[in-house]
Amino acid sequence: MKLQIENLVKLQNLDREIANMLGNEEAQASDSDFDFDSLEKLDKMRRKRVRLAKTIDKRIIRYYERLKGNKGDKNAVVPVVNAVCQGCNISVPTSTAAKLQRKDSITTCDHCGRFIYSV
Ligand SMILES: [Zn+2]
């Protein structure tokens, strides 16, 4: 299970990169010399995302996508620092903190519902 949360964090980072690239593409849309290199890079990242998504439980992916849609802030997976969720800044219960330390399951914040992991 440890692998899943690690991959989920990777997936979120990849989503951010893709979103950034798409933003750049739009900004350059009126540019006459179209950047095929970045288009190729984007394609590679999308394929990497598909591969990565396959390593994660489908239910988790679905929940992740929903969180991303709802929160809209691209922070569906957040770290817990000093037992405080970095998504909503509220302390997580001791039991949740202990669960996080074991790193054997995917946990969500009781308050904001985001996926949380210990750093
Ligand atoms: Zn939270």
Side-chain angles (χ1 to χ4, degrees):
M1 280 306 261
K2 186 174 183 274
L3 195 68
Q4 294 221 336
I5 190 71
E6 277 176 4
N7 286 354
L8 197 59
V9 172
K10 278 186 200 163
L11 191 79
Q12 176 169 262
N13 288 337
L14 201 59
D15 276 347
R16 281 180 182 156
E17 274 181 54
I18 291 171
N20 281 341
M21 278 203 78
L22 287 175
N24 289 340
E25 284 298 316
E26 270 167 33
Q28 290 168 1
S30 57
D31 218 311
S32 54
D33 49 349
F34 194 75
D35 192 354
F36 283 103
D37 283 349
S38 61
L39 208 67
E40 203 175 301
K41 201 179 161 196
L42 193 66
D43 199 43
K44 257 184 210 161
M45 288 200 298
R46 279 183 171 144
R47 281 200 297 267
K48 194 176 160 191
R49 191 195 190 275
V50 171
R51 281 200 303 273
L52 201 57
K54 278 179 187 161
T55 67
I56 306 166
D57 196 302
K58 278 192 179 62
R59 283 167 303 175
I60 291 167
I61 292 285
R62 270 205 299 274
Y63 187 63
Y64 166 76
E65 298 286 359
R66 215 168 62 212
L67 275 176
K68 248 185 14 157
N70 287 348
K71 307 283 179 197
D73 59 2
K74 301 187 185 82
N75 286 318
V77 193
V78 295
V80 166
V81 181
N82 295 328
V84 173
C85 166
Q86 298 302 296
C88 61
N89 285 316
I90 293 172
S91 301
V92 298
T94 318
S95 59
T96 306
K99 208 171 156 191
L100 281 174
Q101 285 305 318
R102 290 201 302 273
K103 294 183 179 179
D104 58 357
S105 61
I106 286 201
T107 313
T108 54
C109 175
D110 289 342
H111 300 281
C112 64
R114 292 174 173 101
F115 286 109
I116 47 176
Y117 62 97
S118 68
V119 286

